[in-house]
Amino acid sequence: MAHFVNPFTDIGFKIIFGQPASKELLITLLNELLAGEHHIEDLTFIDKEDNSDNVNDRGIIFDLYCLTSSGEYIIVEMQNRWHSNFLDRTLYYVCRAISRLIERPITDEVELPAGGKDSVSDTVSEAPLRYGDRYKLSTVYGIFLMNFKEGKLEPKFRTDTVVADRENGRTVNPHFRQIYLQFPYFTKQLEECETLYDKLIYALKNMNEWNRMPDALKEQVFKHLERLAAVANLSEANRVAYDKAVDRFYVSRIYEEDMQNKVEDAMREGREEGKKEGKKEAKLEDAQNFKRLGVPADIIAKATGLSAEEIAKL
């Protein structure tokens, strides 16, 4: 058992970033990811499950769902394994979070003061909002940490997506943002990590293999990470849940490696079979040419290794 929890397990990720004590660490990570674009002062964790009335939307559970003090919504997800239509699902998650923002009534009712206008009712509807007002959106960020390579993304660590003009790249709507982080493409060594952003990513990728926090990671945020992520500091309930998550993690990893080995073996056998077929076809072609030239069958057989029956069929 490693000294630190594995952030690529569901419970490990939530232990590090999804509890009240994690808020400072999560804010630091998000501010490093959004440096130059947005700075988060504070945030609150909100309901991670979408309890929609639409049966098709029920059961959507975000790993982390946060609201910043300035009104932005942030979805953070750690995905350990590839699955089909991954990018479509992340698009749907962000769109579903955006749709929450306008699921509110267009008009509100207010009570009349005592002695007000004579009316059958004591309430009156306010004037309707202007049509466009209900569509005023807050920014929704979808941040997806991926422990795999997604073939539909560029082969690089970070991919930022926006709604932009295809011709000139100018952002058309700043309220829709997705950030994909493909950890297998992050190959920097610790001595190459000069920024806090690089150091945080390096720590997340490698901490499961450490027995102690490296001396080079001196910033306060890593002391906080060390306290949160130490397996020895887990509550009994979290320790039981984490042990089960680790078992699932390694079982899935073994399964993936077995499947990869089977694919590689099949490809290797296919190549070898292809080579054999290619050689056989070349021999048949040579024999056919010899036959056209009137070369006796026994000589063709010696030259090509084909049987008399195979030569006779040509």
Side-chain angles (χ1 to χ4, degrees):
M1 176 66 71
H3 181 77
F4 298 111
V5 299
N6 187 340
F8 295 106
T9 61
D10 50 1
I11 185 67
F13 182 71
K14 292 178 177 67
I15 286 170
I16 295 173
F17 291 112
Q19 52 182 323
S22 313
K23 189 167 73 169
E24 179 184 341
L25 181 60
L26 179 60
I27 290 174
T28 299
L29 175 65
L30 294 175
N31 279 334
E32 289 301 311
L33 284 171
L34 303 176
E37 177 181 351
H38 183 63
H39 183 79
I40 299 169
E41 296 290 342
D42 196 11
L43 59 75
T44 56
F45 296 105
I46 57 179
D47 186 11
K48 295 181 292 186
E49 184 167 3
D50 191 333
N51 297 307
S52 173
D53 290 335
N54 183 341
V55 67
N56 293 320
D57 290 334
R58 290 177 190 163
I60 296 175
I61 301 177
F62 307 116
D63 283 358
L64 296 178
Y65 192 37
C66 315
L67 174 63
T68 72
S69 55
S70 51
E72 295 81 19
Y73 291 84
I74 301 179
I75 299 166
V76 187
E77 179 179 275
M78 173 66 81
Q79 181 70 27
N80 182 49
R81 297 177 60 188
W82 177 88
H83 66 73
S84 59
N85 303 312
F86 171 75
L87 296 183
D88 287 346
R89 180 176 65 77
T90 61
L91 175 65
Y92 176 72
Y93 272 24
V94 175
C95 290
R96 185 71 192 111
I98 290 173
S99 72
R100 283 181 169 187
L101 304 181
I102 60 172
E103 291 174 355
R104 58 177 181 264
I106 300 178
T107 61
D108 296 311
E109 290 191 337
V110 295
E111 292 188 6
L112 288 172
K117 294 180 180 179
D118 292 334
S119 172
V120 176
S121 172
D122 289 335
T123 63
V124 64
S125 294
E126 288 186 335
L129 296 172
R130 290 177 300 176
Y131 176 74
D133 287 349
R134 70 172 300 185
Y135 296 104
K136 182 177 176 61
L137 299 177
S138 300
T139 301
V140 175
Y141 291 90
I143 299 174
F144 304 98
L145 289 71
M146 304 152 58
N147 193 26
F148 59 90
K149 297 177 181 179
E150 169 56 62
K152 294 180 181 179
L153 294 176
E154 290 293 314
K156 60 180 182 177
F157 170 60
R158 177 168 176 163
T159 298
D160 286 67
T161 69
V162 297
V163 178
D165 185 307
R166 186 172 182 177
E167 183 177 354
N168 59 31
R170 185 180 68 84
T171 299
V172 174
N173 190 317
H175 299 303
F176 184 97
R177 291 282 284 106
Q178 289 177 293
I179 299 173
Y180 297 98
L181 305 177
Q182 299 180 87
F183 273 75
Y185 288 115
F186 187 86
T187 58
K188 288 186 178 181
Q189 299 302 310
L190 181 53
E191 58 271 18
E192 300 175 286
C193 297
E194 298 179 354
T195 65
L196 180 58
Y197 169 72
D198 282 346
K199 291 178 181 178
L200 281 167
I201 298 301
Y202 178 85
L204 289 177
K205 182 174 182 178
N206 296 286
M207 61 186 293
N208 186 54
E209 300 175 0
W210 297 341
N211 289 320
R212 56 188 292 272
M213 197 65 65
D215 294 335
L217 301 178
K218 300 176 181 178
E219 290 84 352
Q220 183 64 33
V221 66
F222 294 107
K223 295 180 181 178
H224 191 36
L225 176 61
E226 186 172 25
R227 289 193 298 272
L228 282 173
V231 173
N233 292 341
L234 298 183
S235 66
E236 183 176 353
N238 277 346
R239 180 60 185 268
V240 171
Y242 177 67
D243 288 346
K244 291 180 179 178
V246 169
D247 288 342
R248 290 194 301 271
F249 176 83
Y250 285 113
V251 167
S252 67
R253 181 61 57 87
I254 292 170
Y255 173 78
E256 288 171 359
E257 290 176 354
D258 286 347
M259 291 300 295
Q260 182 65 30
N261 289 336
K262 288 179 180 178
V263 169
E264 291 175 356
D265 289 344
M267 291 175 66
R268 189 181 305 110
E269 290 174 5
R271 286 194 295 268
E272 292 174 354
E273 190 64 30
K275 289 178 182 178
K276 291 178 182 178
E277 290 295 325
K279 290 178 181 178
K280 183 70 174 290
E281 288 177 5
K283 289 179 179 180
L284 290 170
E285 187 176 346
D286 288 343
Q288 208 162 28
N289 291 332
F290 288 146
K291 202 169 184 181
R292 288 196 189 101
L293 294 172
V295 177
D298 59 333
I299 295 178
I300 296 175
K302 289 180 181 179
T304 61
L306 297 174
S307 67
E309 290 78 9
E310 288 174 315
I311 295 171
K313 291 178 182 179
L314 297 176

